[in-house]
Amino acid sequence: MRFLLLSFLLAASATHAAPPRPAPKDELRTLLAELIAADTSNPPGNETAAARVAARWLSEAGIDSELIEPSPGRGNLLVRLKGTGKGKPILVLAHLDTVPAVRSEWATDPWRLTEKDGLLYGRGVQDNKGMAAASILALRRLKQDGGPRSRDILLYLGADEEVGSGQGLDWMMEHRPEFKEAEFALNEGGLTELSPDRKQVRFVALQAAERVSRNVTLKATGPGGHSSAPPVDAGPLVRVAAAVARVGALTFPAHLTPAARLHIQGRAPLTPGELGDALRRIADAPDAPPEDAVSTVARLEPALGAVLRTTCVPTVFHAGTRSNVIPATAEATINCRLLPDADAKAVRERIVAAVNDKDLQVEMDVSAPDSPMSPVGDNAMFRAVKAAAAKVWPHAPVIPRQSTGTTESATLRKAGIDAYGIDLFALTPDDARTAHAPNERVPVASLQPGAEFVYLTLQHLTR
């Protein structure tokens, strides 16, 4: 595969005129604005534009970086801040690509960091350019601190996370053996929950496990024809649409994985009201969680309810070319998120039963999910996160988490690296739901604490 490797050194970066450096308290906001202004919607990606911004900020602090492009414009930035080698390296990663944005669906320009009513809006502000910006600034501070660090820090700002990692982490894992030297990885996927009134950080959840994404394809074929002479039997579009409705209504049984169990047990005492009551009932019966309590959690906080069961959601439909033509083919995609210990074959069997159409094709990868869980408890990562959180958000407990979505930590765990996910920004549940949605946002007041959290975590890990 063709690729281009460029070294970004301090001398080379001098050819690019840098804007005046902001005051330290404004650095995160300034850098984040520059990263968001680089439209890295994937597809097509164009992550190199954001990687060059990151390289300049690092170079100004005397930190060298490499820009690695598996194909033109698909930039991955790799940095190594040296330590004494007493401990194995820590890998810090954030992705530079974002999901696309439709300008007409936004109240602000998606590619311009905009403040409104105490919130900052912009595509990627949560997912995941905030983490990228804070990690860059953390390395700059650690470099300035001087003194011995017990281990190297590998900072990886990656491409192609949103589409499949073929131009990003998967490619890097194959071509850059230093990735596999890492003992721990610090990534996205955690949750720092802010109360709805934005006055209190309730908890810091460190992601140690995640569900597994599997697409299911439903496909029907038929003779097609003119819409003025409809067939006696339902055509492919009607059959697939009916099957989609049935699968969309399918509910899988509740089941607590070890990570979900620890999360519920840690969170239940901290949660007030109806949601707290439901969580306590689940915590009291983790081997047979009451279905009505699980349903209450799903209604009040869908993201939390989603980690308690496998879910399948229709996402894409393809059929037809013209309004007066009965399509000969119809196809739908169902995106399932399997629990890490789910039986994929049993999931497909339930979908086939719900489809209830022997002539409709149901395609699904039924191999084992293979999504290991990182160790939880008294290890270096949990100690570092707890120490950092205690300084930034006093009295907010640190608890394990199984995330609803899929991150690149799954790839690292399969390679033997204990990967963990954080959310550096304290968000309300409503804030958190804007990732991948129009008007993605974070509270302005969450910026500086988030930057400090990342810095202190890495400082503690490299003592």
Side-chain angles (χ1 to χ4, degrees), residues 206 208 375-387 398-400 420:
L206 186 63
V376 298
D378 187 25
N379 63 26
M381 182 63 77
F382 268 83
R383 288 193 296 270
V385 169
K386 287 180 178 180
V398 175
I399 58 177
Y420 298 88

Side-chain angles (χ1 to χ4, degrees), residues 218-227 235-241 316-332:
L218 308 182
K219 187 175 181 179
T221 59
H226 200 289
S227 62
L237 191 155
V238 173
R239 289 169 54 212
V240 171
V316 181
F317 204 106
H318 294 292
T321 56
R322 294 174 60 88
S323 63
N324 62 348
V325 177
I326 298 171
T329 302
E331 182 175 306

Side-chain angles (χ1 to χ4, degrees), residues 25-360:
K25 67 182 181 64
D26 298 323
E27 283 187 330
L28 180 58
R29 184 164 175 166
T30 302
L31 174 52
L32 190 51
E34 290 188 41
L35 291 172
I36 287 173
D39 181 359
T40 54
S41 301
N42 189 10
N46 191 32
E47 295 91 347
T48 294
R52 291 185 188 279
V53 171
R56 171 166 51 79
W57 277 71
L58 290 162
S59 181
E60 289 170 0
I63 301 173
D64 299 339
S65 58
E66 293 178 276
L67 178 66
I68 303 155
E69 293 182 305
S71 60
R74 307 308 304 273
N76 297 269
L77 198 73
L78 184 60
V79 181
R80 189 167 198 139
L81 192 64
K82 294 289 290 183
T84 64
K86 181 180 178 181
K88 295 176 68 177
I90 172 78
L91 173 64
V92 182
L93 60 159
H95 61 89
L96 296 174
D97 64 322
T98 71
V99 295
V102 178
R103 175 65 183 88
S104 62
E105 296 176 349
W106 283 62
T108 64
D109 183 343
W111 299 282
R112 181 174 181 177
L113 190 65
T114 304
E115 181 175 348
K116 184 179 179 182
D117 299 327
L119 299 168
L120 285 174
Y121 294 84
R123 177 54 87 216
V125 67
Q126 277 190 49
D127 189 13
N128 187 230
K129 290 179 177 178
M131 180 69 174
S135 300
I136 292 165
L137 296 181
L139 259 64
R140 285 167 55 111
R141 286 181 67 181
L142 290 166
K143 173 79 172 179
Q144 185 179 22
D145 290 346
R149 288 178 293 275
S150 64
R151 60 175 94 216
D152 293 1
I153 299 175
L154 290 171
L155 173 60
Y156 168 61
L157 304 180
D160 205 26
E161 189 273 348
E162 297 290 3
V163 171
S165 300
Q167 300 286 308
L169 183 64
D170 287 352
W171 192 95
M172 295 290 287
M173 291 290 286
E174 180 180 353
H175 292 86
R176 299 302 296 250
E178 61 263 48
F179 273 57
K180 297 178 182 178
E181 299 172 13
E183 179 179 8
F184 297 107
L186 189 66
N187 191 17
E188 64 175 335
L191 176 65
T192 300
E193 182 163 295
L194 187 62
S195 60
D197 62 6
R198 304 187 185 281
K199 292 182 178 180
Q200 177 189 7
V201 173
R202 288 177 167 169
F203 59 84
V204 177
L206 186 63
Q207 188 237 50
E210 59 192 75
R211 297 193 301 168
V212 177
S213 180
R214 290 284 169 85
N215 283 336
V216 179
T217 301
L218 308 182
K219 187 175 181 179
T221 59
H226 200 289
S227 62
S228 63
V232 175
D233 297 328
L237 191 155
V238 173
R239 289 169 54 212
V240 171
V244 165
R246 290 191 291 270
V247 175
L250 183 62
T251 300
F252 290 84
H255 168 67
L256 268 61
T257 64
R261 181 180 301 220
L262 290 169
H263 183 82
I264 296 296
Q265 290 171 343
R267 186 165 171 179
L270 311 171
T271 306
E274 186 182 7
L275 178 60
D277 291 341
L279 291 176
R280 284 185 283 276
R281 291 182 60 208
I282 295 170
D284 289 341
D287 294 327
E291 281 293 339
D292 63 323
V294 173
S295 296
T296 297
V297 173
R299 172 173 54 84
L300 296 174
E301 194 166 324
L304 178 56
V307 303
L308 306 180
R309 63 172 90 244
T310 289
T311 60
C312 291
V313 179
T315 53
V316 181
F317 204 106
H318 294 292
T321 56
R322 294 174 60 88
S323 63
N324 62 348
V325 177
I326 298 171
T329 302
E331 182 175 306
T333 299
I334 310 290
N335 182 246
C336 294
R337 300 295 173 124
L338 277 61
L339 295 177
D341 55 2
D343 181 340
K345 292 181 179 178
V347 171
R348 183 184 182 278
E349 288 172 1
R350 291 205 62 182
I351 293 171
V352 169
V355 166
N356 193 29
D357 184 340
K358 63 181 180 59
D359 294 323
L360 194 146

